[in-house]
Amino acid sequence: MTPVSSHSPHGQSPLRTVQVLGGGNAASSAHVRSLAAGLVARGVKVTVCAPYEADRAYDFSGIGADHVHVPRSSDPVSVAALRAACANADLVHAHGLHASFRTALALSGRRVRTPLVVTWHDRAHADGARAHMLRVLERRVVKAATVVLGTTSALVDRARLTGARDARLAAVALPGPRRPREPDDPDRRRPKVRAELGAIGRPLLMAVGSLERHRGYDVLLDAARAWRRLDPVPLVVIAGEGPLRGELQGRIEEEGLPVRLVGRRDDITDLLAAADLALLPSRWEARSVLAQEALHARVPLVATDAGGIPELVGDAAELVPYGDARALADSVVRLLGDRERRELLADRGARQAATWPTEDETVAQVLSVYDELTQPQPLP
């Protein structure tokens, strides 16, 4: 990344931007950190509005951005804090539905209209009355946004159907590790991880993500019943935390399933590198971090044919219908018994990963949108 002393579409002072993050998920938080670092390196002044815990986890201040604490709430105090932080901004960029809604409230009623860019990283998941409320928030957000960036074509289409004036496909990179890893021999590290997880002499199947309904872990447990008849029995490890932990753990114990819940982990790269297969049984995903990391790591992936997954992985994964436990189980059994197919998917995964945007390309695209929205328009 080549630093630039000052990026100024106005030819006067550096562009002043505010990035608004609602505390959000790991993918959007890592994206904001990567984006902020790239913008700062190009001479853009960046303020990140996010809860204290987000700054502690992602150290926005450490890459040269200013951090302003804004709680994950739409109460008047939070909106007022956000309004004050955006007072002198040339452009505001909000990430995620709830952060975007708060930002729309904060920018409303201003005499001078500040361009608002909104990135939809994923779709909000809810049922019943809450789903209706989320649709109302979506309409309010797209009405206020100057440009909506969607991380998948499906999200771009959804924004347009909801009423967005300008919706575009966003370039979003998988950010690299924030700290260099200690040098280690991967051939030595892999057996250590497998031993820790209890996967010595048996296949290791890895799933990662919050323990929530839309992740499809109930389907994964259904599929795990079929794997009990294999010899050796594969071990399914699920890394993540969430409200369904008790329900899932109860099923695992009651049915004697070969599944371990290991909670939230910060060594996902090592876990994936030790796995024989990665599993993604979700009802809907946008640019799944697990899918991206699996393909980067040359780990064969079995995923649902839903959301942005087909667009993301192309022919580099085995895709099965969502909710079809038999199809998931059968696909895993076939792959475990077909070394050539696993090697083919590993090769395809590496090629597919090479087509995804880099962090530099992501920053460049966003900056081109910023320039478009902040440069003085020529007189007719």
Side-chain angles (χ1 to χ4, degrees):
M1 194 177 292
T2 305
V4 178
S5 59
S6 177
H7 180 93
S8 173
H10 305 287
Q12 297 174 352
S13 59
L15 183 68
R16 298 165 299 182
T17 70
V18 173
Q19 305 289 322
V20 184
L21 184 65
N25 60 33
S28 58
S29 300
H31 170 73
V32 170
R33 187 184 195 277
S34 171
L35 179 58
L39 293 172
V40 168
R42 288 162 170 78
V44 177
K45 180 173 173 54
V46 178
T47 298
V48 178
C49 292
Y52 283 129
E53 55 269 24
D55 188 48
R56 283 196 299 269
Y58 292 91
D59 191 23
F60 301 116
S61 307
I63 48 90
D66 294 326
H67 171 250
V68 174
H69 170 62
V70 176
R72 187 176 180 176
S73 167
S74 297
D75 63 40
V77 174
S78 297
V79 172
L82 186 53
R83 182 179 292 119
C86 296
N88 296 314
D90 297 309
L91 178 143
V92 179
H93 189 164
H95 300 264
L97 179 59
H98 294 285
S100 300
F101 177 68
R102 286 194 293 280
T103 306
L105 291 177
L107 296 179
S108 64
R110 298 181 62 171
R111 286 180 297 175
V112 178
R113 181 178 174 84
T114 302
L116 171 60
V117 177
V118 166
T119 294
W120 281 3
H121 293 270
D122 204 346
R123 206 179 84 188
H125 300 276
D127 298 303
R130 179 168 166 74
H132 174 71
M133 182 194 75
L134 291 176
R135 286 193 294 271
V136 171
L137 294 187
E138 286 179 344
R139 287 194 291 269
R140 175 69 184 270
V141 164
V142 300
K143 183 179 180 181
T146 315
V147 172
V148 177
L149 299 176
T151 60
T152 68
S153 297
L155 287 172
V156 173
D157 291 343
R158 185 179 180 88
R160 288 172 178 157
L161 289 172
T162 307
R165 291 167 290 177
D166 187 342
R168 313 178 191 183
L169 186 63
V172 178
L174 176 66
R178 284 165 38 203
R179 298 179 183 85
R181 295 180 61 204
E182 292 297 322
D184 196 1
D185 182 348
D187 291 333
R188 292 179 55 195
R189 179 69 181 145
R190 190 172 192 267
K192 289 180 182 177
V193 174
R194 292 176 71 94
E196 176 212 334
L197 296 173
I200 296 296
R202 62 194 298 197
L204 175 60
L205 315 180
M206 194 75 218
V208 180
S210 57
L211 306 183
E212 298 180 81
R213 194 70 60 191
H214 72 274
R215 297 290 184 188
Y217 291 135
D218 55 336
V219 180
L220 179 53
L221 296 193
D222 290 342
R225 290 181 189 148
W227 302 328
R228 291 179 301 188
R229 62 180 169 79
L230 299 181
D231 184 18
V233 178
L235 174 65
V236 181
V237 171
I238 302 175
E241 199 52 83
L244 293 186
R245 172 178 266 278
E247 177 182 322
L248 296 173
Q249 188 63 49
R251 276 197 61 189
I252 291 167
E253 295 172 3
E254 181 179 339
E255 300 174 32
L257 300 176
V259 179
R260 280 193 63 192
L261 305 180
V262 296
R264 189 176 287 111
R265 300 282 293 240
D266 59 6
D267 59 347
I268 298 301
T269 301
D270 287 336
L271 296 181
L272 269 177
D276 296 289
L277 299 178
L279 306 179
L280 185 63
S282 302
R283 180 172 63 199
W284 204 96
E285 293 275 354
R287 292 187 68 86
S288 163
V289 174
L290 171 66
Q292 293 177 77
E293 291 192 340
L295 268 58
H296 269 295
R298 299 177 57 85
V299 177
L301 173 68
V302 180
T304 46
D305 187 1
I309 295 302
E311 179 180 24
L312 179 67
V313 303
D315 65 353
E318 294 282 355
L319 298 180
V320 298
Y322 168 72
D324 191 334
R326 179 182 292 276
L328 175 59
D330 289 348
S331 185
V332 166
V333 171
R334 283 195 304 272
L335 271 182
L336 289 177
D338 189 342
R339 183 183 184 88
E340 288 187 3
R341 178 65 179 170
R342 296 198 305 273
E343 291 175 351
L344 175 64
L345 288 178
D347 291 340
R348 287 179 177 176
R351 288 198 298 270
Q352 181 72 7
T355 69
W356 296 333
T358 65
E359 290 185 81
D360 265 355
E361 289 166 345
T362 298
V363 174
Q365 188 217 31
V366 169
L367 199 48
S368 71
V369 174
Y370 291 1
D371 284 350
E372 177 187 333
L373 300 182
T374 56
Q375 286 177 338
Q377 297 302 307
L379 294 174

